[in-house]
Amino acid sequence: MIREPIEQLINSPLVYTRGMNFPKPEEIRIYDSTLRDGEQTPGIAYTPEQKMEIVKQLSDIGVHIVDMGFPGVSESERQALRLIMQAKKRGEIREDFEIVVMCRSNQRDIDATIQVLDDLKLAPSEVTFFIFTSGSDLHVKYKLGKTLLKAGGRSEDEWLDTPVSWYREANLKLQCDAIRYARSQGVAQVEFGGEDGSRGDIPYITEIFNAGMKAGATRPSFSDTVGCLTPEATRQQIGYVVEHLEPKGTPLLVHFHNDYGLGTINTITALAAGAKAFCANVNGYGERAGNANLAEVVTALKFLYGVEIPGFKYEKLNELSRFVERMAGLPVQAHAPIVGMNVFSHESGIHTHGVLIDRRIYEAIPSEAVGGQQRFVYGKHSGGQVVEHGLRAHESDLRAAGVSLDNELIVRVTEEVNSLGLSEDDLVTIAISLAKSGAGAA
């Protein structure tokens, strides 16, 4: 119906974002933590079989990396890793799909994980080891401090009086020793990072990253563990880290929580500042307010920033959301961006009138592009036009019931549905009932 090119009628968001400096789309890696951080959502507990099925879905949609948790500390996690790797060998998971297992920065955790791999007849080189430590001074001294004192041969009695500077050095040594040990045991890919890095001293975080890379690691991970960064802080922190990373071009992974509802924009900001991999979870599941939401990040990148990730099946986002929702047993909010059941639903007469002219009048995202479906909800705010539209779509059903559709019937049906919340099938039922009672019968 619209005659002019849409570009003449509305401003595209790309007018304002096309100058941003993102990595090449083919360089960006999507890292999913639904199985680990997502499972830390209170009330969520996946079985090993469910984890395998989720990983298969993530592989199919085009995610590049998955963090599956701590196989060295739980039989359930070991079984999940077994099933995932077996499915990968059967070709049910992409060959290039990277599997990450978690370890703390100590030899005991690394040995336990390698033993699990050996029991599963897997080489350490077949997975990536995420060897993590702490990043902020708060965590380094007060969470990790007693561990560092013990590793340094000092008494716990010295905990509070020992200066932060000592803990920083001890933390660096602990991390680098762990990375070197893992590499000596045949581990080929080592991801590493300091928890709560966003609240730490950024030059120190960069020092952690550079020391880890020299020790043999392959990918640093920057974490906003408590979700407290603003986009402005993200731009400054990630920009600084990327500028000072050695060797140049090292792919930085970013991991944002959503405590202020900023997980998506912080992730996008970090990519524009030079990060090349981002962590996100299906449905935004995660501890507290959750993590950056996969559907939000990839869809915003594509439609608002013009960054389309090659091979990613955007049209399966709703299907993936519903699948993980069933596995988790935790409902997604009806108004959740991209995948909520109401995102492409319309009831208001003003809105439905516009959408019936052209859906772009009130819809910024094509529903089919993300696997959604436009639908009309009939109720208090419905106007006669959308009621007529719904009835016309089922005119053959009305005729089969001996009912002809006319203006009088449309008005009566509209009056009826304004007091109810109805589906399109309900419209037909009401129309037939009203027609049989004296209006619109053939």
Side-chain angles (χ1 to χ4, degrees):
M1 181 178 291
I2 290 178
R3 293 184 177 182
E4 299 86 353
I6 193 67
E7 293 80 11
Q8 293 181 15
L9 301 173
I10 56 175
N11 278 329
S12 166
L14 300 177
V15 170
Y16 307 100
T17 61
R18 63 166 56 104
M20 296 179 69
N21 188 27
F22 288 95
K24 295 177 181 178
E26 60 269 22
E27 294 179 342
I28 295 175
R29 292 291 174 266
I30 305 171
Y31 183 119
D32 187 276
S33 188
T34 299
L35 301 190
R36 183 182 64 82
D37 257 17
E39 194 181 33
Q40 291 173 200
T41 304
I44 292 181
Y46 301 116
T47 66
E49 291 76 15
Q50 287 176 324
K51 288 193 173 187
M52 177 191 67
E53 294 299 332
I54 290 171
V55 171
K56 287 162 67 174
Q57 295 287 329
L58 295 173
S59 169
D60 178 64
I61 202 171
V63 168
H64 304 99
I65 307 163
V66 68
D67 172 2
M68 65 77 51
F70 292 84
V73 300
S74 163
E75 177 55 37
S76 176
E77 298 288 83
R78 289 191 281 275
Q79 175 64 1
L81 178 61
R82 178 184 296 108
L83 293 175
I84 290 167
M85 298 306 290
Q86 287 173 348
K88 189 174 183 181
K89 289 187 175 181
R90 291 194 302 267
E92 297 170 5
I93 295 170
R94 296 195 326 268
E95 184 177 350
D96 66 345
F97 193 75
E98 184 180 347
I99 310 296
V100 177
V101 295
M102 299 281 290
C103 297
R104 291 169 298 181
S105 290
N106 63 63
Q107 183 175 328
R108 183 177 63 257
D109 271 24
I110 295 167
D111 285 341
T113 306
I114 289 175
Q115 183 61 55
V116 169
L117 295 171
D118 186 59
D119 292 343
L120 299 178
K121 296 181 171 51
L122 296 170
S125 58
E126 293 186 62
V127 298
T128 296
F129 277 54
F130 184 4
I131 298 174
F132 67 95
T133 183
S134 292
S136 69
D137 291 338
L138 174 65
H139 277 230
V140 169
K141 179 171 182 177
Y142 289 96
K143 177 187 174 184
L144 195 59
K146 292 182 180 180
T147 298
L148 294 173
L149 288 169
K150 183 178 179 180
R154 299 178 65 166
S155 169
E156 286 188 7
D157 295 340
E158 302 178 55
W159 179 31
L160 299 180
D161 294 328
T162 301
V164 167
S165 58
W166 184 90
Y167 288 109
R168 284 190 179 189
E169 288 301 318
N171 185 44
L172 275 175
K173 183 178 186 306
L174 183 79
Q175 174 200 253
C176 292
D177 286 349
I179 292 170
R180 281 189 286 265
Y181 178 75
R183 292 302 304 269
S184 75
Q185 300 304 301
V187 177
Q189 302 291 323
V190 177
E191 178 184 317
F192 71 105
E195 188 181 24
D196 200 35
S198 65
R199 293 194 295 177
D201 176 65
I202 297 305
Y204 176 63
I205 299 303
T206 308
E207 184 181 359
I208 287 177
F209 289 161
N210 288 338
M213 293 299 293
K214 286 181 182 178
T218 50
R219 181 172 62 224
S221 175
F222 178 94
S223 295
D224 182 25
T225 301
V226 295
C228 65
L229 286 191
T230 63
E232 295 79 13
T234 299
R235 186 179 301 111
Q236 290 185 35
Q237 291 193 2
I238 300 303
Y240 181 94
V241 170
V242 170
E243 181 181 355
H244 292 88
L245 266 179
E246 297 291 346
K248 295 296 183 185
T250 296
L252 177 67
L253 168 69
V254 291
H255 177 105
F256 289 95
H257 284 254
N258 201 40
D259 294 72
Y260 283 90
L262 297 173
T264 293
I265 188 56
N266 283 340
T267 299
I268 292 170
T269 301
L271 290 171
K276 291 186 177 179
F278 67 88
C279 203
N281 292 355
V282 179
N283 297 333
Y285 292 145
E287 58 205 28
R288 301 185 314 278
N291 292 49
N293 187 302
L294 174 64
E296 292 180 18
V297 175
V298 297
T299 305
L301 280 172
K302 178 178 178 178
F303 290 101
L304 301 181
Y305 295 88
V307 179
E308 183 171 355
I309 299 172
F312 190 83
K313 300 175 182 177
Y314 295 85
E315 71 280 4
K316 290 195 171 186
L317 281 169
N318 265 270
E319 178 184 336
L320 176 65
S321 173
R322 298 286 82 77
F323 180 83
V324 176
E325 182 182 38
R326 291 194 301 273
M327 296 295 101
L330 183 63
V332 174
Q333 290 179 328
H335 61 283
I338 317 301
V339 297
M341 65 177 292
N342 285 349
V343 172
F344 301 105
S345 299
H346 304 276
E347 179 186 341
S348 164
I350 294 173
H351 280 238
T352 54
H353 173 73
V355 170
L356 288 173
I357 295 171
D358 188 289
R359 65 185 182 183
R360 288 171 293 187
I361 289 178
Y362 281 111
E363 289 184 359
I365 304 166
S367 58
E368 68 276 7
V370 294
Q373 185 174 8
Q374 185 188 80
R375 70 188 184 102
F376 296 109
V377 178
Y378 303 90
K380 175 182 177 181
H381 304 101
S382 298
Q385 188 176 34
V386 72
V387 170
E388 180 178 359
H389 174 80
L391 290 172
R392 294 286 181 200
H394 295 271
E395 202 160 2
S396 61
D397 296 326
L398 293 171
R399 284 197 301 268
V403 175
S404 63
L405 187 59
D406 57 25
N407 287 337
E408 182 183 354
L409 181 59
I410 291 168
V411 170
R412 292 189 66 190
V413 172
T414 302
E415 291 173 349
E416 186 75 14
V417 302
N418 282 167
S419 63
L420 304 167
L422 303 169
S423 70
E424 204 162 276
D425 289 340
D426 293 326
L427 287 185
V428 177
T429 302
I430 288 175
I432 293 172
S433 176
L434 290 173
K436 295 297 187 182
S437 69

